[in-house]
Amino acid sequence: MQAVTRVSGTAYPWGAENVDTDVIIPAHWLKTITRSGLGRGAFETVRAQPGNLFDDPRYAGAPILIAGDNFGCGSSREHAAWALADMGVQAVIAPSFSDIFSGNAFKNGIVTVVLPQEAVDRLVEVAKTDPVTVDLETMTVTTPYQDRYTFELDAFRRRCLMEGLDEVGLTLAKDTVISKFEERLGVERPWISGRADDAGLAVEGARRT
Amino acid sequence: MPSPRTLYEKVWDAHVVERRDDGSCLIYIDRHLLHEVTSPQAFEGLRAAGRFVRRPDLTLAVPDHNLPTTARTDAAGHELPIADRESAEQLAALRRNVAEFGVPYIDALSARQGIVHVVGPEQGFTLPGTTMVCGDSHTSAHGAMGALAFGIGTSEVEHVLATQTLILSPSKTMEVRVDGALGYGVSAKDVVLAIIGRIGAAGGTGHVIEFTGEVIRALSVEGRLTIANMSIEGGARAGMIAPDETTFAYLKGRPMAPQGEDWARAVDWWRTLPSDAGARFDKVVRLAASDIAPALTWGTSPEDVVPITGSVPAPDSFADASKRAAAQKSLDYMGLTPGMRMQDVPIQHVFIGSCTNSRIEDLRAAASVANGRRVADGVRALVVPGSGLVKRQAEAEGLDRIFTAAGFEWREPGCSMCLAMNPDKVPAGERCASTSNRNFVGRQGPGSRTHLLSPAMAAAAAVTGRLADVRELMG
Ligand code: SF4
């Protein structure tokens, strides 16, 4: 995961409430094999409407999305976070998020910023013409004007985001305890790794450990 | 003396790598199954981060969801292309990924290929006392052999591939006890439908169920797999059944099961796993076998269960308002009216297959009903063995000839009509008697109507053209 301390730039001034995962990425995109590329399917139904925000050249490639209450509700599909990341969104600002979505967003390096409705309303206005900055160092959202909103984030998630640590990376850092466990497993339950007959199975590959 | 523990607690304790401050644990994963739908992004993640698969030897990949169940090779033995471009791509990606990362793989063209949850036990990859995961919710099936087995999401698949562990919080425990002896024509599927009908589709939420009692003990491993498979339909994280002589006899000599000295040591340990006398469960539910009849679902939730002798319930008969509304919505979708006798409902499709009911015993039960009869006019009936080995065994027993003579289609193994991801689908507005595990809206295709039931009941529906009481066709 890329370390992120600051996300700065244009923002989609959307503000819509209850944006569900079907809106973020429709179900027919789940038959894909990559996380990348899902940006093409992101907000497909919104984009089908002429004059929509996401195809407005003023906001093309914006790293920030500003939305309303309950962003990311619906199914648990991780594809929603993948789609946002793929379209270049690194931070979403909203009054509230679905738990599952914010977990998935975090796992994919997207900062979810919770701010009061008034702050979000103001940011939607500013973002129509000016850039917005989300700073994890100072835990603030600022604009070129005098706006300065502080927000909170779980300390563990903040650290993971700022240091570019992902859960896989963190667990990999525990290699010694895992290896110790495996040693014990090899003695106590040797049959776990000693699979008797693999004949007929294809096993090749340069990336074997 | 240590305090008494349940089967679940023993397996959990044996896999704790590290306890964390917040009560969660780093848990070691002994067995990881992969299929083509939920693994591609996990491999992509590894590749992007320059990581490896930590324990390919504990991993096994099999394609199943997307595979068409028509012939896979032409007369000359050449592989036939898959028409759906996206399916073909997902399947090709699995082939590429397992080759690149050195993951043991059973190819679509191998006789050992099948539905991932049929293949695991059949190959002896699934073992008692193991922790087992797969990016698929019906991984709960493997709990039938005394494994702690559950479905995970794609990020977790990646986590397991890279670290062979997961960060988990312990679940609550629930005992579901079924005592007595099953009546004439009553199968494992009827038992699990009765259980879900009783506890509800969310009844097991937050729990790991242990199925116990005389009925469970008397079941074969196949029957137990049917029951544990549907734990998830009762909302449980996983379902487990204590390993016993039946389990050991099933496993002995399977290709990936322990051999020789290892086998003896393994069995010794497995014998220590059953829940201790006096072990405490957070919840206990009891059912009497004598109350269980051949059953099926009428609605769009697996908890919508009635005996075949029953009729479509009236929404008014439900106590709470949200249930009443849900029942009305179900009936509208299913095209049924309250009070209609289940046995009067005509069907157009029959699906005998899925990881719930596609093993050899299931096919034998269906064949014994189909034998000497004909599929009713206007009914399309599919028999889809759970694996190539099940198919072979069935053919050796002549079951395929019984089915084809009766007008059933005999197909190649895969998930097939269980979910609308491959060409086998139920058209909108049509009704299917299905041995699978989910009757959700659109599960077998947009607008499809599903009735879940046992293989023998499905065969009875095929030959009568309606939902039928299998007991009237037996013996
Ligand atoms: S048979 Fe159905 S439930 Fe089982 S793994 Fe396949 S799609 Fe899932």
Side-chain angles (χ1 to χ4, degrees), chain A residues 16-91:
Chain A
E17 288 180 10
N18 295 315
V19 175
D20 65 43
T21 48
D22 266 303
V23 172
I24 303 174
I25 186 84
H28 68 94
W29 285 89
L30 309 196
K31 239 179 158 178
T32 168
I33 58 166
T34 56
R35 292 175 213 241
S36 50
L38 282 170
R40 281 180 296 127
F43 303 109
E44 193 174 63
T45 48
V46 181
R47 285 187 146 142
Q49 294 152 19
N52 75 80
L53 195 72
F54 296 104
D55 290 322
D56 188 328
R58 282 178 295 170
Y59 311 117
I64 301 171
L65 172 64
I66 309 173
D69 232 356
N70 201 23
F71 186 84
C73 57
S75 89
S76 62
R77 69 185 64 146
E78 207 165 312
H79 300 71
W82 298 340
L84 286 173
D86 189 63
M87 67 184 277
V89 171
Q90 297 164 45

Side-chain angles (χ1 to χ4, degrees), chain B residues 65 115 117 136 138 354-355 415 418-419 437 443:
Chain B
H65 284 65
I115 306 168
H117 308 311
D136 187 278
H138 291 99
S354 90
C355 57
C415 292
C418 176
L419 92 170
N437 46 39
R443 172 73 177 186

Side-chain angles (χ1 to χ4, degrees), chain B residues 364-375 402-403 405-406 408 456 459-460 463:
Chain B
R364 284 180 193 143
S368 74
V369 174
N371 198 4
R373 296 191 167 96
R374 286 288 306 171
V375 170
I402 294 178
F403 284 122
F408 288 80
V463 299

Side-chain angles (χ1 to χ4, degrees), chain B residues 48-380:
Chain B
R51 288 170 182 151
F52 298 95
V53 175
R54 183 181 179 95
R55 293 294 300 266
D57 61 321
L58 307 186
T59 313
L60 180 62
V62 199
D64 55 5
H65 284 65
N66 275 303
L67 271 183
T69 57
T70 42
R72 292 184 183 145
T73 49
D74 62 17
H78 298 302
E79 190 173 6
L80 290 166
I82 291 167
D84 182 276
R85 190 182 52 80
E86 287 179 309
S87 291
E89 225 170 82
Q90 259 187 355
L91 291 160
L94 184 63
R95 271 188 183 153
R96 280 199 306 274
N97 286 329
V98 295
E100 180 181 343
F101 287 89
V103 170
Y105 171 65
I106 299 178
D107 190 74
L109 300 182
S110 161
R112 294 161 85 167
Q113 182 271 337
I115 306 168
V116 69
H117 308 311
V118 173
V119 170
E122 187 173 80
Q123 292 299 319
F125 184 67
T126 309
L127 296 175
T130 52
T131 44
M132 183 162 199
V133 295
C134 174
D136 187 278
S137 60
H138 291 99
T139 309
S140 61
H142 307 266
M145 316 196 60
L148 171 57
F150 50 89
I152 54 176
T154 297
S155 277
E156 291 173 307
V157 169
E158 186 179 337
H159 196 279
V160 176
L161 285 173
T163 70
Q164 206 58 36
T165 64
L166 274 179
I167 299 160
L168 296 170
S169 294
S171 300
K172 287 188 273 192
T173 55
M174 176 173 182
E175 181 185 20
V176 174
R177 188 175 190 89
V178 193
D179 278 320
L182 293 179
Y184 182 65
V186 181
S187 72
K189 184 63 164 283
D190 303 303
V191 173
V192 73
L193 287 173
I195 291 170
I196 296 163
R198 167 76 81 80
I199 67 173
T205 305
H207 292 75
V208 169
I209 297 178
E210 182 176 344
F211 299 97
T212 65
E214 291 155 9
V215 165
I216 308 295
R217 294 268 69 87
L219 283 176
S220 63
V221 166
E222 278 92 343
R224 294 175 185 185
L225 284 160
T226 299
I227 291 190
N229 178 275
M230 289 190 72
S231 312
I232 186 79
E233 305 317 325
R237 181 87 214 245
M240 303 177 80
I241 294 173
D244 59 9
E245 297 310 316
T246 305
T247 322
F248 309 150
Y250 173 94
L251 273 175
K252 195 160 199 270
R254 301 258 164 197
M256 298 180 188
Q259 318 268 319
E261 205 174 302
D262 269 352
W263 171 259
R265 281 190 67 184
V267 173
D268 280 346
W269 188 64
W270 295 342
R271 284 190 211 282
T272 68
L273 293 175
S275 294
D276 298 324
R280 216 186 90 348
F281 291 89
D282 294 301
K283 234 191 209 176
V284 179
V285 175
R286 286 170 194 276
L287 281 84
S290 51
D291 293 341
I292 303 174
L296 77 174
T297 58
W298 55 266
T300 55
S301 163
E303 70 180 26
D304 299 338
V305 176
V306 276
I308 182 64
T309 48
S311 35
V312 178
D316 293 348
S317 63
F318 295 94
D320 76 276
S322 70
K323 278 254 156 74
R324 278 199 293 275
Q328 187 56 56
K329 239 177 118 186
S330 281
L331 292 184
D332 293 346
Y333 180 82
M334 294 295 290
L336 296 172
T337 43
M340 218 172 156
R341 281 173 14 109
M342 292 309 294
Q343 292 184 62
D344 293 338
V345 176
I347 50 104
Q348 295 81 43
H349 299 263
V350 171
F351 171 52
I352 298 172
S354 90
C355 57
T356 317
N357 282 122
S358 62
R359 287 168 283 269
I360 190 68
E361 279 189 8
D362 301 314
L363 302 190
R364 284 180 193 143
S368 74
V369 174
N371 198 4
R373 296 191 167 96
R374 286 288 306 171
V375 170
D377 286 342
V379 173
R380 181 185 184 211

